[in-house]
């Protein structure tokens, strides 16, 4: 049933992606997170964690390093493409985050950040709490440029992506005795999930009505984790993967609770654990032979998405996200001039996990 829904969503999205007057499926995209979704904010910070030099960006248009911790597009870029955007929401700290560019959202993510503010402070990144303050500041700028009515429409109709967690564990908890000697993994996980819940409530209070939060990836399969905790092995560290799974279960429960608390909030868990683990254990299915070492293109070893064949994977997991965000409930909207089509009642089975 979910596969059928994914195929339907693909048809609908493609139907709205052609024609000179086609409009994106949402007015804007707002992103909060770490290096997995940072598109250049760290370029404007006094931090060593930057991606503004070759070979970063070598597969991006114009082959220019953009501040993305990747050789090409990030998952959020593919998200914007899929939704019908012809340009990407700008990094909020960049000069591009002004004027009409504000109308399609903004990216507040910062490499090295996490749910836990002290993670970001360790690496001179933008803490999640500050990213939320920047969003509040953005709203004032948007209202001044577009007017109160249009600004409210953009804020309420846009997609909000939250992608943190890997840095909290790999770059902080596991290597910080002040944490791992005073808190169990479950206690630290509860702390992070509580921060997310409070932050999601803040976003809701500021007008967000469509939120997607990523799970943790299989932490034990990240190149840095294998190097630091693999004791010479080249395989995934099962203990860390178990930590990821327990955290993801807590996050799913928290998201379900938020959905019940706010009846007009569409919120979904974006599972990146399962497809990434499948990629590691069955790399041939993604057209590659090795996935547990960083690419020669220059990805930092600690970066959570340094896997060959990742572009194909992103397409898969984002198809899942759209099914879960737009295929909820039994009431579906009719198509319009943009060619968006009609949601099928069969999509009602694709609810957040």
């Amino acid at each position: 049933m979910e596969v059928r829904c994914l195929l339907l969503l693909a048809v609908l999205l493609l139907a709205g992606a052609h024609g000179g007057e086609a409009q994106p499926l949402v007015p804007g995209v707002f992103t909060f997170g770490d290096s997995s979704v940072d598109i250049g904010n760290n370029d404007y910070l006094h931090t060593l964690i930057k991606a503004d030099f070759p070979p970063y960006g070598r597969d991006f248009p114009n082959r220019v390093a953009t501040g993305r911790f990747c050789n090409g597009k990030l998952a959020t870029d593919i998200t914007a493409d899929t939704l019908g955007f012809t340009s990407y929401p700008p990094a909020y700290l960049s000069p591009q985050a002004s004027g009409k560019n504000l109308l399609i959202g903004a990216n507040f993510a910062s490499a090295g950040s996490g749910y836990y503010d002290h993670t970001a402070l360790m690496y001179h990144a933008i803490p999640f709490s500050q990213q939320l303050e920047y969003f509040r500041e953005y709203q004032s700028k948007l209202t001044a440029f577009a007017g109160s009515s249009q600004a409210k429409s953009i804020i309420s109709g846009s997609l909000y992506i939250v992608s943190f967690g890997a840095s909290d564990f790999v770059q902080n908890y596991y290597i910080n005795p002040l944490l791992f000697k005073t808190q169990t993994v479950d206690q630290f996980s509860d702390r992070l999930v509580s921060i997310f819940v409070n932050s999601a409530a803040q976003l809701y209070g500021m007008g967000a009505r469509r939120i997607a939060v990523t799970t943790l990836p299989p932490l034990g399969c990240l190149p840095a984790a294998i190097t630091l905790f693999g004791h010479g092995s080249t395989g995934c560290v099962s203990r860390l993967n178990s930590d990821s799974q327990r955290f993801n279960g807590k996050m799913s429960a928290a998201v379900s609770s938020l959905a019940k608390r706010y009846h007009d909030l569409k919120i979904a868990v974006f599972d990146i654990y399962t497809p990434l683990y499948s990629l590691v254990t069955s790399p041939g299915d993604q057209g590659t032979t090795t996935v547990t070492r960083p690419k020669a293109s220059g990805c930092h070893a600690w970066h959570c998405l340094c896997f060959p064949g990742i572009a194909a994977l992103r397409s898969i997991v984002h198809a899942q996200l759209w099914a879960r965000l737009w295929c909820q409930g039994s009431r579906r909207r009719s198509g319009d001039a943009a060619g968006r089509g009609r949601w099928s009642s069969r999509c009602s089975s694709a609810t957040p996990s």
Side-chain angles (χ1 to χ4, degrees):
M1 186 69 71
E2 187 170 10
V3 172
R4 187 180 302 168
C5 186
L6 292 177
L7 291 174
L8 175 62
L9 258 293
V11 171
L12 291 174
L13 293 175
L14 289 173
H18 61 78
E21 296 183 359
Q23 297 294 316
L25 292 178
V26 293
V29 178
F30 297 94
T31 305
F32 306 84
D34 54 24
S35 60
S36 62
V37 289
D38 183 358
I39 62 170
N41 282 308
N42 274 27
D43 290 354
Y44 303 92
L45 301 177
H46 294 292
T47 177
L48 294 176
I49 306 179
K50 295 178 183 284
D52 57 351
F53 53 89
Y56 289 118
R58 71 177 188 181
D59 297 323
F60 205 77
N62 300 323
R63 299 180 180 275
V64 174
T66 62
R68 291 165 171 80
F69 286 75
C70 191
N71 54 294
K73 293 182 179 181
L74 294 177
T76 46
D77 298 320
I78 296 173
T79 299
D81 292 340
T82 304
L83 289 173
F85 288 92
T86 57
S87 59
Y88 303 130
Y92 185 68
L93 296 186
S94 72
Q96 288 71 41
S98 62
K100 66 178 182 180
N101 292 335
L102 297 174
L103 299 176
I104 60 171
N107 183 302
F108 305 95
S110 175
S113 189
Y115 288 115
Y116 187 45
D117 276 1
H118 287 280
T119 299
L121 296 175
M122 288 172 62
Y123 299 97
H124 300 283
I126 307 171
F128 190 13
S129 60
Q130 183 59 51
Q131 293 184 31
L132 291 172
E133 286 304 310
Y134 280 146
F135 175 58
R136 194 183 303 275
E137 180 181 271
Y138 160 89
Q139 289 183 305
S140 297
K141 294 181 180 179
L142 178 64
T143 300
F145 178 78
S148 178
S149 178
Q150 185 178 4
K152 184 177 180 180
S153 178
I154 291 171
I155 295 299
S156 63
S158 292
L159 171 65
Y160 295 77
I161 299 173
V162 180
S163 182
F164 291 103
S167 295
D168 286 311
F169 282 95
V170 179
Q171 294 167 235
N172 194 356
Y173 179 82
Y174 291 136
I175 62 173
N176 186 349
L178 296 178
L179 290 177
F180 68 71
K181 286 189 175 183
T182 60
Q183 301 176 53
T184 66
V185 171
D186 280 333
Q187 289 172 332
F188 188 63
S189 295
D190 288 339
R191 189 174 192 173
L192 300 184
V193 171
S194 177
I195 293 170
F196 165 73
V197 170
N198 291 334
S199 299
Q202 288 185 57
L203 281 173
Y204 180 86
M206 289 188 280
R209 292 296 181 269
R210 198 187 303 271
I211 301 174
V213 57
T214 65
T215 64
L216 283 181
L219 293 174
C221 298
L222 305 186
I226 294 172
T227 300
L228 293 172
F229 310 110
H231 304 294
S233 171
T234 58
C236 297
V237 183
S238 59
R239 172 176 62 87
L240 273 58
N241 283 349
S242 295
D243 293 344
S244 296
Q245 291 175 311
R246 290 201 305 276
F247 175 90
N248 293 343
K250 294 174 185 290
M251 180 61 76
S252 293
V255 165
S256 296
S257 178
L258 284 167
K260 293 176 182 177
R261 184 190 309 175
Y262 304 111
H263 299 295
D264 59 339
L265 173 65
K266 290 187 176 181
I267 184 168
V269 175
F270 175 11
D271 177 21
I272 64 173
Y273 181 100
T274 301
L276 280 172
Y277 186 75
S278 297
L279 178 61
V280 172
T281 56
S282 304
D285 293 344
Q286 294 294 331
T288 186
T289 57
T290 179
V291 295
T292 54
R293 66 169 181 261
K295 294 185 67 173
S297 64
C299 282
H300 286 306
W302 49 262
H303 184 232
C304 68
L305 291 180
C306 287
F307 295 115
I310 198 66
L313 173 67
R314 287 176 182 144
S315 297
I316 294 171
V317 293
H318 271 278
Q320 170 194 230
L321 174 62
W322 309 136
R324 293 185 174 185
L325 278 178
W326 274 273
C327 295
Q328 295 187 40
S330 59
R331 297 182 63 183
R332 304 290 175 242
R333 58 177 181 166
S334 300
D336 55 22
R340 297 175 187 173
R342 181 183 298 275
W343 301 133
S344 168
S345 60
R346 292 176 297 183
C347 291
S348 60
S349 64
T351 55
S353 59

